[in-house]
Each structure stands twice: as structure tokens, then as C-alpha cells.
Amino acid sequence: SNDGIVDSLFLHSCADRILYTLIKLSKSRSPHLTVTPAHIQSLSEAKKYINNNYSEKMSLDVIAEKAFLSPIYFHRLFKEFYGITPADYILKVRISAAKQQLITKEDSLAKIAADCGFSSQSYFNYSFKKQTGLSPLKYKKKMLSQMDI
């Protein structure tokens, strides 16, 4: 009866109030960071560090330190500026180096994995296939057969 309608209206009113509050909160949090020239310099240094040291074990803390930023802030800035997380960028650099080594060197997969900063050959195989769609050996065979043409 009337009580049911009142309860329903009250619930709709509560739901609207919650939705309004959530929208207001999401708008007040700035999703975009302002990337200053100083940040760009820091990010560039961090990227250079990754490119030159991809074969070593790397942590967000160490890389952020190179950029003179806190790890969380560095992560947000890096993603905002480059559109990729630091971890994904490191992986991209490592896979790129591995591709190069696969077609230019006769080293074992284990050695290439270690040289490119992968903690194990199995993680290398998994990551490589996930990124390229091919296992390291299939990639090597494919690339070398294309070069023979």
C-alpha cells in the first residue's frame, strides 16, 4: 500500500544521493597529473636507466630513486606520460633485446633469458610468447627463414 510506495521512494532517494556523491568524488580526484618539464627530465633519466640496465634485477623503488620521485608518484607519472607502466616498459625493453639476441647470437635460451634480465627461462618463454604470440624458438626460426629470402 502507501508504506510500500514511501519505502520505494525513500530507497530511490538514497540510491540517487549515493550515486551523486560517487560522481562528485570521482570528478574531484584529478585523473590526470600535470607533467612538468622537471618531471619529463626525471622520467627521461629513469627510461635511460631502464634501457641501459634491463639485464639487471630492477625494482620500482630503485628506478623511482633515479628519477628523484617516490615510487607511487613515479609510477603514476610514468604511466600518465608514456601510457605504459614502468613494469610493462621494462618487459618491452627486455623482449626487444631478446628478439635481437635470438637472431644475432647462437646462445642458449637460458643464457639469452639471463642476459635480458629474466629471472628464469620459463618466465622468459612465457613472457615472450605472451608478447609476441610465438615461443622464442619459433620466433627465431621465423625471423631467420625470412632473412634467407
Side-chain angles (χ1 to χ4, degrees):
S1 57
N2 266 356
D3 285 348
I5 293 168
V6 171
D7 287 348
S8 178
L9 287 172
F10 176 72
L11 287 174
H12 279 292
S13 167
C14 288
D16 288 347
R17 173 55 77 195
I18 290 168
L19 199 56
Y20 170 77
T21 305
L22 287 172
I23 290 167
K24 201 171 167 189
L25 282 171
S26 72
K27 284 183 177 171
S28 68
R29 283 190 63 227
S30 152
H32 294 288
L33 298 170
T34 305
V35 183
T36 67
H39 287 145
I40 294 169
Q41 183 62 39
S42 293
L43 291 172
S44 176
E45 289 300 319
K47 210 171 177 189
K48 197 184 300 177
Y49 175 78
I50 293 168
N51 293 341
N52 293 332
N53 299 281
Y54 64 85
S55 61
E56 297 169 24
K57 193 173 180 339
M58 272 189 232
S59 72
L60 185 63
D61 290 355
V62 168
I63 302 164
E65 202 175 281
K66 302 285 176 199
F68 303 103
L69 297 165
S70 76
I72 292 168
Y73 192 60
F74 168 73
H75 186 277
R76 285 186 61 205
L77 274 177
F78 195 97
K79 185 155 179 8
E80 178 72 28
F81 192 67
Y82 294 117
I84 186 173
T85 65
D88 286 343
Y89 180 73
I90 293 167
L91 184 60
K92 202 171 148 182
V93 170
R94 287 175 172 165
I95 295 289
S96 181
K99 285 177 174 179
Q100 195 65 37
Q101 287 192 27
L102 282 165
I103 56 176
T104 60
K105 294 185 176 183
E106 288 300 318
D107 294 338
S108 68
L109 285 184
K111 180 159 177 20
I112 291 172
D115 288 350
C116 294
F118 289 93
S119 52
S120 69
Q121 186 181 332
S122 60
Y123 180 61
F124 167 61
N125 289 340
Y126 167 79
S127 301
F128 194 94
K129 187 164 187 177
K130 193 173 178 201
Q131 291 281 315
T132 66
L134 296 169
S135 72
L137 286 177
K138 281 185 179 162
Y139 174 85
K140 180 176 184 159
K141 281 180 188 160
K142 182 182 175 190
M143 296 311 287
L144 292 177
S145 72
Q146 286 176 1
M147 288 175 178
D148 288 343
I149 294 168

